[in-house]
């Protein structure tokens, strides 16, 4: 059995991850950690997230930065559901201790130090780890690299659905390079995290765009797709899920059948992507590990709809999927 720990376990993604790992047949969840200052320190996780009652009753232990090395020594894998700077600071000691790190934050997603000062507000001090980190968009990850690295960086929620929707067309060279793809995506309020903020309180949320031209996921999407995009995120007054509508233009002569074959070829054998015959619906993916995709073509125009659960395929289930691939388990172990 592989010994695991979750740091930042009190949040939404940490709780979902705890539930998934608790039913994994090859895993024990040994420890759940929160920061020293957390008001949740010492509480059983099931006291915060009642759905975990009878599944996981572990306490949320306060963790000092100085204890990260020992955590690395006593666990095979550590999952970081922490703030970006916290992940940045803890990861070196965890890896030095011998653990494989699965980081759900943005601390190692893009191998460009300036990216972190520009979009995350801190100077990245570990360029050698940026070189080692493998970005685990699971359907497109290099499995050999994934199985060798000590550091797996999980994509953001918006980048996951955006890349899965567009990448097959770009890889096959079907899109007109002179037309910038546009992504309009709506996320539920759980994407803002569990912290108390007036702007993400349910009664305060309306359907609205935010972060236009400035959202930190724009450069992440562009870097890993290899093309500029226009990304327009929206906040919706629902709890979970992301629905994305993407528009692009095809090269001259590309047919709807060629597009369909492109997607079928790209996702053959990938169990967490489902190709649909009609525009996707959010209700079909909420609380599931799937990304649903549908593409409509008219002339040279293509409209793609994609949907995921932001806490599952956009975070925790993708982390478990990457864990499964890294250890050569079936990728959907504990996810169905």
């Amino acid at each position: 059995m592989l010994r695991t720990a979750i740091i930042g376990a009190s949040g939404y993604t940490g709780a979902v991850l705890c539930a998934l790992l608790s039913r994994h047949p090859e895993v024990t969840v040994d420890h759940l950690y929160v920061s020293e200052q957390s008001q949740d320190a010492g509480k059983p996780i099931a006291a915060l997230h009642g759905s975990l009652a009878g599944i996981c009753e572990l306490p949320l232990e306060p963790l000092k930065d100085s204890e990260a090395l020992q955590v690395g020594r006593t666990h095979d894998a550590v999952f970081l559901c922490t703030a970006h700077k916290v992940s940045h600071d803890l990861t070196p000691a965890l890896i030095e201790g011998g653990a494989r790190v699965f980081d759900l934050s943005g601390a190692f997603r893009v191998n460009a130090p300036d990216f972190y000062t520009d979009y995350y507000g801190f100077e990245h001090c570990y360029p050698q780890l940026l070189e080692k980190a493998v970005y685990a968009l699971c359907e497109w990850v290099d499995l050999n690299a994934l199985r060798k690295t000590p550091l797996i960086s999980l994509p953001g929620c918006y980048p996951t659905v955006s890349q899965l929707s567009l990448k097959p067309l770009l890889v096959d060279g079907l899109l007109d390079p002179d037309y910038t793809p546009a992504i309009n995506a709506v996320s539920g309020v759980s994407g803002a995290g569990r912290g108390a903020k007036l702007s993400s309180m349910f009664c305060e949320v309306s359907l609205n765009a935010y972060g236009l031209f400035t959202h930190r996921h724009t450069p992440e999407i562009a870097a890993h797709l290899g093309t500029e995009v226009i990304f327009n995120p929206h906040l919706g007054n629902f709890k979970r899920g992301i629905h994305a509508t993407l528009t692009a233009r095809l090269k001259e002569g590309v047919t709807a059948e060629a597009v369909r074959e492109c997607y079928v070829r790209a996702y053959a054998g990938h169990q967490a992507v489902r190709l649909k015959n009609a525009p996707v619906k959010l209700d079909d993916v909420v609380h599931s590990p799937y990304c649903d995709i549908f593409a409509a073509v008219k002339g040279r125009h293509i409209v793609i709809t994609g949907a995921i659960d932001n806490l599952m395929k956009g975070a925790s289930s993708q982390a478990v999927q990457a864990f499964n691939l890294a250890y050569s388990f079936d990728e959907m172990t504990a996810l169905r």
Side-chain angles (χ1 to χ4, degrees):
M1 299 286 280
L2 294 167
R3 300 185 64 187
T4 66
I6 303 171
I7 302 178
S10 62
Y12 296 135
T13 57
V16 173
L17 185 57
C18 181
L20 296 174
L21 290 175
S22 292
R23 68 188 192 213
H24 198 295
E26 305 294 340
V27 162
T28 60
V29 181
D30 287 358
H31 294 91
L32 304 176
Y33 296 105
V34 292
S35 70
E36 277 189 284
Q37 298 77 29
S38 174
Q39 63 183 0
D40 298 322
K43 299 176 182 176
I45 192 169
L48 275 62
H49 300 280
S51 61
L52 290 172
I55 297 172
C56 181
E57 304 287 349
L58 289 173
L60 295 162
E61 303 174 47
L63 180 69
K64 299 178 182 178
D65 287 357
S66 60
E67 296 170 334
L69 181 64
Q70 183 60 25
V71 172
R73 286 173 175 161
T74 53
H75 296 89
D76 298 293
V78 177
F79 293 83
L80 295 178
C81 302
T82 44
H84 314 294
K85 184 62 163 60
V86 174
S87 289
H88 167 275
D89 294 345
L90 291 177
T91 293
L94 293 170
I95 291 175
E96 183 183 348
R100 178 176 273 168
V101 172
F102 293 81
D103 181 22
L104 283 78
S105 84
F108 297 93
R109 286 176 182 160
V110 176
N111 186 9
D114 289 348
F115 170 77
Y116 298 93
T117 54
D118 293 345
Y119 289 95
Y120 284 90
F122 65 87
E123 181 180 355
H124 208 293
C125 300
Y126 304 108
Q128 72 279 15
L129 286 180
L130 285 175
E131 291 282 348
K132 289 181 180 180
V134 170
Y135 184 78
L137 183 67
C138 290
E139 286 70 25
W140 293 93
V141 72
D142 180 334
L143 288 179
N144 288 330
L146 180 70
R147 288 167 180 163
K148 292 176 182 177
T149 185
L151 175 54
I152 292 90
S153 177
L154 281 306
C157 50
Y158 283 126
T160 293
V161 66
S162 299
Q163 293 178 81
L164 291 174
S165 297
L166 277 175
K167 198 170 181 73
L169 303 170
L170 289 163
V171 169
D172 279 9
L174 302 187
L175 295 185
D176 182 346
D178 295 326
Y179 184 101
T180 302
I183 305 162
N184 296 295
V186 187
S187 175
V189 293
S190 59
R194 188 167 166 265
K197 289 170 283 190
L198 182 64
S199 61
S200 59
M201 289 179 62
F202 202 82
C203 289
E204 298 291 329
V205 172
S206 178
L207 176 59
N208 62 279
Y210 67 99
L212 301 178
F213 294 116
T214 61
H215 198 286
R216 62 182 52 150
H217 282 157
T218 304
E220 179 186 340
I221 295 167
H224 291 287
L225 283 180
T227 186
E228 292 301 312
V229 296
I230 298 171
F231 173 54
N232 304 314
H234 296 69
L235 187 62
N237 54 349
F238 54 92
K239 285 185 179 180
R240 294 172 69 141
I242 293 177
H243 187 287
T245 302
L246 308 91
T247 58
R249 187 165 66 184
L250 299 167
K251 287 181 177 177
E252 190 73 47
V254 175
T255 64
E257 180 62 20
V259 168
R260 189 193 69 81
E261 291 175 354
C262 167
Y263 280 103
V264 169
R265 186 165 53 249
Y267 294 123
H270 292 289
Q271 302 170 66
V273 174
R274 303 186 298 196
L275 303 178
K276 311 298 281 188
N277 294 320
V280 303
K281 296 189 295 184
L282 204 57
D283 282 351
D284 291 346
V285 297
V286 170
H287 297 284
S288 89
Y290 300 107
C291 176
D292 285 358
I293 297 173
F294 169 77
V297 175
K298 184 176 181 180
R300 291 181 62 190
H301 297 289
I302 182 167
V303 178
I304 309 144
T305 58
I308 62 171
D309 185 322
N310 57 298
L311 299 181
M312 289 285 284
K313 183 60 171 166
S316 299
S317 74
Q318 181 151 239
V320 175
Q321 190 180 355
F323 173 88
N324 287 334
L325 292 172
Y327 288 99
S328 300
F329 304 134
D330 182 276
E331 66 176 330
M332 300 300 282
T333 301
L335 299 183
R336 289 198 174 92

